[in-house]
Amino acid sequence: MGNEASYQTELCNHFDQEEIRRLGKSFRKLDLDKSGSLSIEEFMRLPELQQNPLVGRVIDIFDTDGNGEVDFHEFIVGTSQFSVKGDEEQKLRFAFRIYDMDNDGFISNGELFQVLKMMVGNNLKDWQLQQLVDKSILVLDKDGDGRISFEEFSDVVKTMEIHKKLVVFVEHGQEDLNA
């Protein structure tokens, strides 16, 4: 994992050295196979994540090299987006990326359907979900291009103050990832 103390200046200014040390300890606890990276199965050991249908998407976003696992560097960069010191736009961009599955800078009808399907499971029939997606696109798509841009997404999501909910606390004396 390297020298954890160097990560503060190297990666972000959202965590202090003590917070990075604690995150390193939590990371090592989750890394059951001691591979230096976390698989989805290792992430799923956290009870808080077991019922979250979007964990796979979050891991995809954290996994910047696309190898299917999250190393410590990716873990720190990923979790820094949820720091109380993180800015609103960074948190909104993270939320946007949950839906922008192909990373083209837009949320398409199909992407919105896929992510909402992850969230609702079989609680809605596909045709009902598609109606919801179509109506959402009609309402949110201000420029009429049939997709949702980051700006269109932000205009709606900012009013919900979602950035205030996307926060991880790295408490002093707490060694687990109970955010």
Side-chain angles (χ1 to χ4, degrees), residues 9-155:
T9 53
E10 224 176 278
L11 301 176
C12 66
N13 58 4
H14 296 156
F15 294 129
D16 61 32
Q17 287 182 346
E18 182 61 22
E19 290 169 325
I20 290 173
R21 187 193 66 73
R22 275 195 217 91
L23 287 168
K25 188 170 183 178
S26 296
F27 182 92
R28 287 187 299 276
K29 279 184 184 178
L30 289 173
D31 186 14
L32 293 177
D33 63 4
K34 308 298 180 215
S35 66
S37 60
L38 302 177
S39 66
I40 192 162
E41 293 80 18
E42 289 169 321
F43 269 106
M44 295 308 288
R45 288 190 53 241
L46 291 170
E48 303 86 9
L49 300 181
Q50 290 173 2
Q51 299 302 314
N52 187 327
L54 297 178
V55 170
R57 284 294 305 136
V58 171
I59 292 170
D60 286 345
I61 293 167
F62 278 28
D63 178 23
T64 56
D65 65 8
N67 71 352
E69 295 198 340
V70 175
D71 63 30
F72 187 64
H73 177 275
E74 293 168 326
F75 182 74
I76 292 295
V77 171
T79 55
S80 75
Q81 297 173 81
F82 302 109
S83 167
V84 292
K85 300 171 199 158
D87 65 21
E88 177 183 2
E89 182 171 341
Q90 187 178 29
K91 290 177 170 111
L92 290 172
R93 286 203 179 276
F94 181 85
F96 180 80
R97 289 183 61 205
I98 294 287
Y99 296 92
D100 180 18
M101 298 177 76
D102 65 3
N103 287 323
D104 69 351
F106 297 95
I107 302 169
S108 69
N109 188 297
E111 289 170 323
L112 185 56
F113 182 91
Q114 284 182 289
V115 174
L116 291 179
K117 183 69 175 176
M118 290 176 209
M119 294 192 298
V120 301
N122 292 322
N123 292 320
L124 289 177
K125 294 182 179 0
D126 283 353
W127 67 268
Q128 293 171 312
L129 183 58
Q130 189 60 59
Q131 281 184 336
L132 178 65
V133 167
D134 292 344
K135 286 180 185 175
S136 298
I137 297 279
L138 280 173
V139 170
L140 299 176
D141 178 24
K142 300 297 181 199
D143 63 8
D145 65 355
R147 54 195 186 167
I148 302 167
S149 67
F150 174 71
E151 291 73 24
E152 292 164 336
F153 177 84
S154 293
D155 288 346

Side-chain angles (χ1 to χ4, degrees), residues 15 19 22-23 26 79 82-85 91 164-172 174-179:
F15 294 129
E19 290 169 325
R22 275 195 217 91
L23 287 168
S26 296
T79 55
F82 302 109
S83 167
V84 292
K85 300 171 199 158
K91 290 177 170 111
K164 292 181 180 176
K165 296 173 179 91
L166 293 176
V167 174
V168 167
F169 295 98
V170 184
E171 298 176 16
H172 295 285
Q174 180 179 334
E175 300 300 341
D176 294 322
L177 286 174
N178 294 333

